[in-house]
Amino acid sequence: MNKKGQVDVKEMAMTLIIAGVVFIVLLLVFSSVSNSADGLFDLDANKKTDETFTLTADAPNSDNSTLLAESGYVEDSESVVNNSVPHVKLVRDIDYVITLIGASGLLDTRANFTLLNVSNGTSNNDGGVGNGFNASELLINYTFNSKSEAGLSVDVIETTVLDSFSLAVISLIVLAAVAILAILFRLGT
């Protein structure tokens, strides 16, 4: 009757062993899955077709550049045409440059398109547009990467992994609580 709620050495040792094993197993699950899940699935290669934008740089402070819509841009994959009749293909580093924000093909990579030739369009003898692309509609096609369907499941896996890590921390808290209670009960006897 006097020992009600007290922990004997056998019970304390058993609790310490169980909590320790639970912590180790859950920590191993966390470290194993979190280290391998990110590179498990290949990315999907996508093609963006005819992304449309118009850049104007008449005023001194106007902007002649814009971020492309899709992240995951693959370097040197674009073709740009002036949307006029006939289509005039723009040439990289003469008519435009694309600056990457991030490494080529990574999911968070953005591409900044800057129009270099912003002079007003001039007509040539056959009625076509000359070298000026200012205020005319541009069409750009480019390749970008995104997560595959299988890769989207990584988010679910990572959520489960975080749960296992949380459980491992809880088992450590239980372990510490049992050890403290055992010491207090031992001191009380």
Side-chain angles (χ1 to χ4, degrees):
M1 187 125 171
N2 294 333
K3 291 194 171 190
K4 194 183 263 184
Q6 292 186 11
V7 179
D8 209 0
V9 173
K10 185 171 130 185
E11 288 83 8
M12 183 181 80
M14 200 59 162
T15 304
L16 291 173
I17 290 169
I18 290 172
V21 167
V22 168
F23 170 72
I24 290 169
V25 168
L26 293 174
L27 192 61
L28 288 174
V29 168
F30 172 77
S31 60
S32 175
V33 175
S34 64
N35 287 339
S36 61
D38 286 337
L40 201 56
F41 304 106
D42 290 333
L43 298 174
D44 279 345
N46 305 292
K47 182 78 173 170
K48 181 72 174 180
T49 304
D50 290 343
E51 182 175 325
T52 305
F53 51 85
T54 302
L55 295 172
T56 305
D58 289 329
N61 295 327
S62 60
D63 193 3
N64 65 327
S65 64
T66 186
L67 283 175
L68 298 181
E70 304 293 342
S71 56
Y73 175 83
V74 177
E75 195 169 23
D76 297 332
S77 65
E78 80 286 339
S79 67
V80 185
V81 295
N82 189 26
N83 190 17
S84 60
V85 180
H87 280 7
V88 178
K89 187 170 183 180
L90 277 65
V91 181
R92 178 190 277 273
D93 294 331
I94 294 175
D95 300 319
Y96 70 92
V97 295
I98 289 182
T99 308
L100 295 191
I101 302 169
S104 175
L106 294 183
L107 291 178
D108 57 351
T109 300
R110 297 296 301 272
N112 189 55
F113 181 94
T114 303
L115 184 61
L116 299 179
N117 186 343
V118 291
S119 61
N120 290 322
T122 57
S123 296
N124 50 26
N125 293 336
D126 61 3
V129 176
N131 291 329
F133 309 116
N134 191 29
S136 61
E137 187 178 58
L138 302 177
L139 301 177
I140 179 169
N141 303 316
Y142 57 95
T143 305
F144 65 97
N145 288 328
S146 64
K147 278 190 177 181
S148 62
E149 286 296 321
L152 293 173
S153 64
V154 170
D155 297 334
V156 177
I157 293 171
E158 288 173 348
T159 302
T160 307
V161 165
L162 290 176
D163 289 344
S164 72
F165 187 70
S166 300
L167 289 172
V169 171
I170 290 170
S171 70
L172 275 183
I173 293 169
V174 169
L175 182 69
V178 169
I180 291 169
L181 287 174
I183 291 169
L184 289 175
F185 283 131
R186 283 286 153 212
L187 291 175
T189 56

